[in-house]
Amino acid sequence: MRRAGLAVSAVLLFSLVAQAAAATDISRDEYRERVEPICKANTEANERILAGARNRVRAGEYGKAAAQFRSAAKALKRTRLQLLAVPMPAGDEPKLSEWLDGVKAEVGLLERVGQALTKGDLYAAQKLVVKLSTNANRTNAGVLAFEFTYCWFQPSLYT
């Protein structure tokens, strides 16, 4: 009797999991439609946050530029959390998880650029900006099939 109850429970649990998975199964196009507004908001925020950062660094205003990079990191971190909440298309989870891991690395690099600028270490900041651009290019390349417009993170536009 106990085995029968366990078997029924297992079948019920399996069917609930299958239903939940089917309910959240979306296409790449649906995924893109859901994430693009999130990424667009981040792109627009970065345009505002990082406006003039390059000129501030050139003028030696490292503290102000550092604050801009830290703010950009916070904005990207919030964006990443919002992106994580969007259901992923079946079969694309590994690729999208890798993409979001790349975005997480970009958050860390933005923070580190801010730290280097706070210390006045322009050389370290420049090296980190190169790493940031390289990471962004690699991260973007992993999701070419999604044909994103705004979910291409392009730090070279601001740094």
Side-chain angles (χ1 to χ4, degrees):
M1 181 74 170
R2 188 174 189 167
R3 284 187 184 178
L6 287 174
V8 169
S9 295
V11 169
L12 180 61
L13 179 63
F14 178 75
S15 68
L16 289 173
V17 169
Q19 287 174 357
T24 61
D25 191 23
I26 61 172
S27 69
R28 282 185 176 178
D29 291 337
E30 290 170 315
Y31 182 79
R32 183 178 54 246
E33 289 171 13
R34 291 182 185 187
V35 299
E36 284 285 34
I38 297 168
C39 294
K40 182 178 181 183
N42 182 70
T43 298
E44 292 169 351
N46 277 339
E47 288 172 359
R48 286 188 310 276
I49 294 168
L50 291 170
R54 185 179 304 166
N55 291 335
R56 284 193 174 96
V57 169
R58 287 183 183 151
E61 299 173 356
Y62 300 144
K64 291 179 182 178
Q68 288 177 278
F69 279 94
R70 285 192 302 271
S71 293
K74 287 178 188 174
L76 186 55
K77 187 174 186 176
R78 280 191 303 272
T79 297
R80 182 177 175 274
L81 290 174
Q82 292 172 330
L83 294 171
L84 283 168
V86 177
M88 297 177 188
D92 285 324
E93 287 106 349
K95 184 176 297 217
L96 290 169
S97 293
E98 186 176 329
W99 173 60
L100 291 169
D101 287 345
V103 173
K104 182 178 181 179
E106 290 171 32
V107 169
L109 288 166
L110 284 167
E111 290 170 343
R112 290 175 56 199
V113 170
Q115 291 168 354
L117 289 173
T118 298
K119 294 177 184 175
D121 190 347
L122 186 58
Y123 178 72
Q126 289 172 331
K127 282 180 28 179
L128 290 164
V129 166
V130 170
K131 285 183 181 182
L132 177 64
S133 294
T134 302
N135 184 78
N137 290 337
R138 184 175 44 251
T139 299
N140 291 339
V143 289
L144 285 172
F146 287 85
E147 300 176 359
F148 290 136
T149 300
Y150 292 101
C151 289
W152 297 112
F153 297 107
Q154 300 176 339
S156 61
L157 296 176
Y158 318 110
T159 57

